[in-house]
Amino acid sequence: MKTLKVKTHRLIKNNGKNYIFISDTASLFEIDDYVKNMINESDALFAYDSDSEKDQEIMQILDKAGFFTDSFKEPDWKSKINKSQPSALVLMLSQDCNLRCNYCYAGDGEYCNKGLMKESTAKMALDYAFDNFTTDRISIILFGGEPLLNKNLFKFCVEYSKKKAEKLGKEVGFSTTTNATLLNTEIAKFIIENKFSVTISIDGDAKTHNRNRFYANKEGTYDDVVYNVKNYLGFKNVAARATLTKYNPKIKDVYEHLYGLGFRSIHISPSIEFMDKDAYDKLIISYLELIDTFEKKLKSKDYDYCLRMSNIMAFLNRLNRGGLRRKFCGACNNMLTVDIDGSFHGCHRFVAAPELSYGNIMNHNVIEDDRKNGMIEALIQTHDTVCRECWISSICGGGCPAENMSSNKDLKRPYDLTCNYLKSIMPKIIELYIGLSSEEKRIFFYYEK
């Protein structure tokens, strides 16, 4: 018998069947006892008979999935990612907010540079995007702070973008995230007419939301948010983005409430600065309950409940796609963020770290390629990062780089409590995926939205 060194993986037992999950490529295979016995877990070795055709066929399948260390070839990620073209422009219309949320990573919406973007800055940024982005469709993301504090510029960006797109024969789409307190008939009509993708910041029921999200006078905003969304946009037309804190880490309760309101899609994330170990432990318990409920809804064919849960759906989609990845977000290569002062950033979250900027729109639209490429390289999960030997790294992606920087002063080193919670729920996520029928996969991954 001969042996080969194998890469990080996990053997899974589900309903009497054996599976292997190969971490680098997020590949999941059902295997029989014969294949399972070829894998020596303690020594990370694969034993095979070089004269056996059966063993050779098994090896070929596993080799294509990136299972063997010696034959695994790492692509030139820096070159590959540098060739990808940006398709999204994020405009920080406002570094200010009319709320004083207690967990705001932007610091009352100000990041580090309070103020509103000027029309001249926005125009230069839009000119740059339409003149330099080579994609047929450009996404314009109007962000803040609270972007509707800069309502006139909000409208200008849309109208100017449509003119640029028409002139150049491109398509353009718009999206925004808002706290919804400034919505009115006029702005809602404008948003609907221009087919915006809208995300509403709302943290759950009134008690939970108002504890986190309030005006400067400490008055909660839940009633205003719900009234405005219901009367101006409609819950079914917008997505919800909720933040968990130690005061309410129960993700299932938050999802149930927001689903009951009727939001089209719901994403829920913990605020690492406002979550302690006890809160993460409660989050794990609640998340596992949510997965169990998801599974029960599947059995009753309540697919609507499942499809709106973007957290779980994102993990299932990643498992369904598989494939080798070392960079998990579009920061720097797929998107460009322009701050109120014209500075270039890889993502809106990096605006709070001016040392990570790589140029300024005011400086003749020049992007400092060395700094940008250095940022891209820093965001690639290389062999020396803590995540590369983790069995779930190809699913979670090593965490949000901005959150990693906030918690550990390192773009590539995720927060320990976040890691533990993801490792705790991922086996159940994989079991959930294994249990999907062909019909359920068709509905979840291939249906026309």
Side-chain angles (χ1 to χ4, degrees), residues 87-90 129 133 135 137-141 171-175:
S87 60
L89 175 68
V90 183
F133 291 6
T135 52
R137 179 181 173 85
I138 295 177
S139 296
I140 305 298
I141 302 167
E171 294 183 7
V172 63
F174 304 101
S175 63

Side-chain angles (χ1 to χ4, degrees), residues 182-392:
L182 300 177
L183 286 174
N184 55 37
T185 303
E186 174 200 358
I187 195 66
K189 183 174 183 290
F190 183 82
I191 285 172
I192 293 168
E193 286 178 347
N194 288 285
K195 299 178 181 179
F196 265 77
S197 174
V198 179
T199 298
I200 305 296
S201 299
I202 179 171
D203 286 353
D205 61 21
K207 180 180 179 181
T208 300
H209 179 93
N210 288 338
R211 183 162 194 166
N212 296 335
R213 306 184 61 81
F214 40 80
Y215 295 109
N217 64 3
K218 303 299 182 181
E219 181 182 345
T221 62
Y222 178 86
D223 289 343
D224 289 344
V225 172
V226 171
Y227 177 88
N228 288 348
V229 174
K230 179 180 179 180
N231 289 282
Y232 297 130
L233 294 176
F235 288 107
K236 67 178 182 179
N237 300 316
V238 298
R241 206 283 187 188
T243 299
L244 302 174
T245 71
K246 61 185 176 183
Y247 302 115
N248 183 30
K250 296 181 179 180
I251 189 171
K252 182 177 182 293
D253 293 350
V254 173
Y255 180 72
E256 295 280 1
H257 182 80
L258 298 180
Y259 177 78
L261 288 176
F263 283 101
R264 182 188 74 237
S265 175
I266 301 159
H267 184 80
I268 307 170
S269 295
S271 172
I272 61 173
E273 292 86 355
F274 277 77
M275 292 278 289
D276 54 23
K277 185 179 183 304
D278 181 62
Y280 269 101
D281 289 343
K282 291 177 181 177
L283 169 58
I284 292 168
I285 293 171
S286 183
Y287 210 129
L288 294 174
E289 291 173 351
L290 181 60
I291 296 171
D292 285 341
T293 302
F294 190 103
E295 194 168 20
K296 291 175 183 176
K297 296 293 184 179
L298 276 179
K299 291 178 180 177
S300 64
K301 299 188 183 300
D302 186 356
Y303 300 130
D304 180 70
Y305 180 98
C306 302
L307 286 165
R308 294 197 210 179
M309 180 66 255
S310 70
N311 296 65
I312 293 177
M313 286 303 304
F315 289 137
L316 294 178
N317 269 290
R318 176 68 186 125
L319 288 167
N320 189 64
R321 289 193 308 269
L324 180 65
R325 292 178 68 183
R326 294 291 186 230
K327 186 173 181 294
F328 287 78
C329 71
C332 299
N333 56 301
N334 294 130
M335 69 172 67
L336 173 65
T337 298
V338 178
D339 195 10
I340 62 170
D341 62 0
S343 55
F344 293 129
H345 300 266
C347 163
H348 71 277
R349 294 290 296 268
F350 290 148
V351 168
E355 68 276 11
L356 298 180
S357 68
Y358 45 83
N360 195 295
I361 199 74
M362 305 299 184
N363 186 22
H364 305 292
N365 297 343
V366 174
I367 285 182
E368 299 171 22
D369 287 331
D370 288 345
R371 288 178 62 82
K372 176 189 173 184
N373 293 339
M375 274 289 294
I376 290 175
E377 190 169 6
L379 294 172
I380 298 172
Q381 292 288 349
T382 51
H383 68 277
D384 58 343
T385 59
V386 295
C387 295
R388 282 293 293 276
E389 298 305 316
C390 173
W391 77 275
I392 68 166

Side-chain angles (χ1 to χ4, degrees), residues 79-95:
S79 174
K80 186 175 182 179
I81 291 171
N82 278 337
K83 290 178 182 177
S84 63
Q85 295 295 318
S87 60
L89 175 68
V90 183
L91 293 177
M92 304 297 293
L93 299 191
S94 166
Q95 282 225 36

Side-chain angles (χ1 to χ4, degrees), residues 92-99 104 106 108-111 115-116 142-151 154 176-183 187 191 199-201 213:
M92 304 297 293
L93 299 191
S94 166
Q95 282 225 36
D96 200 357
C97 189
N98 60 324
L99 304 190
C104 184
D108 296 341
E110 298 174 14
Y111 294 86
L116 301 178
L142 303 181
F143 210 80
E146 173 48 52
L148 294 181
L149 282 175
N150 205 349
K151 183 178 69 173
F154 188 97
T176 192
T177 296
T178 174
N179 61 41
T181 61
L182 300 177
L183 286 174
I187 195 66
I191 285 172
T199 298
I200 305 296
S201 299
R213 306 184 61 81

